[in-house]
Amino acid sequence: MADGPARSRTGLLDHAAPVHLGTPDAPLHFTGLREPGGRHLIVDGEEAFELSFPCGTCALLFRRLDEGARALAEGALHDHLDEGVPAIDDPSLRDLVSMILPEATYLPLLLSIEPVLVTPGDDHDYFSREQVVHRGIDPTLGAPEDPATGYYRGPTRTTGEHETLFEFLVPMVQPGRNDRERVASYEERLRAGGAATVLAVSVLDRTQPFDSFDAHTGLVHFVLDGHHKLEAAARVGVAITVLSFVSIDASLADEATAIGLPELLAR
């Protein structure tokens, strides 16, 4: 396994078989996988993020479009996650999560990730570093892709002779908008060895330029709950548990690759 950014490591703690979850009136959904106009993550009826275009050769992308996107886990779900590491097969937890996810088939993963906070253009920014090396700069842009948001890096894995898997955690709420006192409180908790769990809905996107043998795959976790915990873990430099529901339907990677993700993460 190749090393990711400084201080970053991860491990697959648990996974479950793909499961159908969600509700038709969920506050978020994905669009554009089989439609013109590109892909988007919609939150509360607004386009919150633009995602990788489904052409197969287009660049990996998550670009913030809505500064007002919110954390989606509230009440009992937030409290359940705040108690510590959940069991991935906990029926009550799945029922609560299902209320905020769009109807789809999901691969549940429980991960341990030591996140690295990234500012666009800094030394850890995928878009201005690895992506430029991989495919150059889009001549129509004249600059690297801009995610228009702070985000977090997980590890980077070499999964084949010409295959690299990148892991990202993308907060609904910009890190700069987090409450400083809550972040500090979680820092103390994590330093003392306390547990913390982040909830995410995720996609697995694969891209390979037409003139390259090398492919980049992005496992992109959109954070639904745990923004303060996540920033605290990055500041302290410790691993945090991430409960991820990978949408097989909304991913660009084919179903077999998505279902085989636990094997790739366990390497």
Side-chain angles (χ1 to χ4, degrees), residues 81 169 196-200 223 225-226 229-230 240-244:
L81 293 164
L169 297 106
T197 303
V198 172
L199 175 67
V223 178
D225 182 81
K229 306 170 196 175
L230 186 56
I240 194 166
T241 302
V242 178
L243 177 61
S244 163

Side-chain angles (χ1 to χ4, degrees), residues 119-194:
T119 299
D122 74 13
D123 289 343
H124 296 309
D125 181 24
Y126 165 80
F127 299 99
S128 59
R129 299 295 186 272
E130 290 101 328
Q131 189 174 79
V132 171
V133 173
H134 180 224
R135 62 191 310 128
I137 292 176
D138 187 333
T140 61
L141 292 175
E145 295 282 1
D146 180 7
T149 186
Y151 64 95
Y152 301 85
R153 290 281 299 266
T156 299
R157 298 173 175 83
T158 299
T159 56
E161 185 178 359
H162 297 285
E163 300 277 343
T164 306
L165 176 65
F166 299 86
E167 200 162 358
F168 308 99
L169 297 106
V170 185
M172 290 289 179
V173 180
Q174 286 266 25
R177 293 173 55 198
N178 286 338
D179 182 276
R180 295 297 101 198
E181 290 186 2
R182 289 189 65 189
V183 172
S185 175
Y186 279 115
E187 287 183 31
E188 292 182 8
R189 178 169 164 178
L190 292 171
R191 285 194 181 97

Side-chain angles (χ1 to χ4, degrees), residues 18 21 23-24 27-28 30 38 65 67 75 77 80 110 132 134 152 158 162 181 196-197 209 214 227 232 234 253 258:
L21 295 173
T23 177
L28 68 82
F30 295 93
L65 300 176
E67 288 293 334
L77 177 55
H80 198 127
L110 196 62
V132 171
H134 180 224
Y152 301 85
T158 299
H162 297 285
E181 290 186 2
T197 303
D214 298 321
H227 293 77

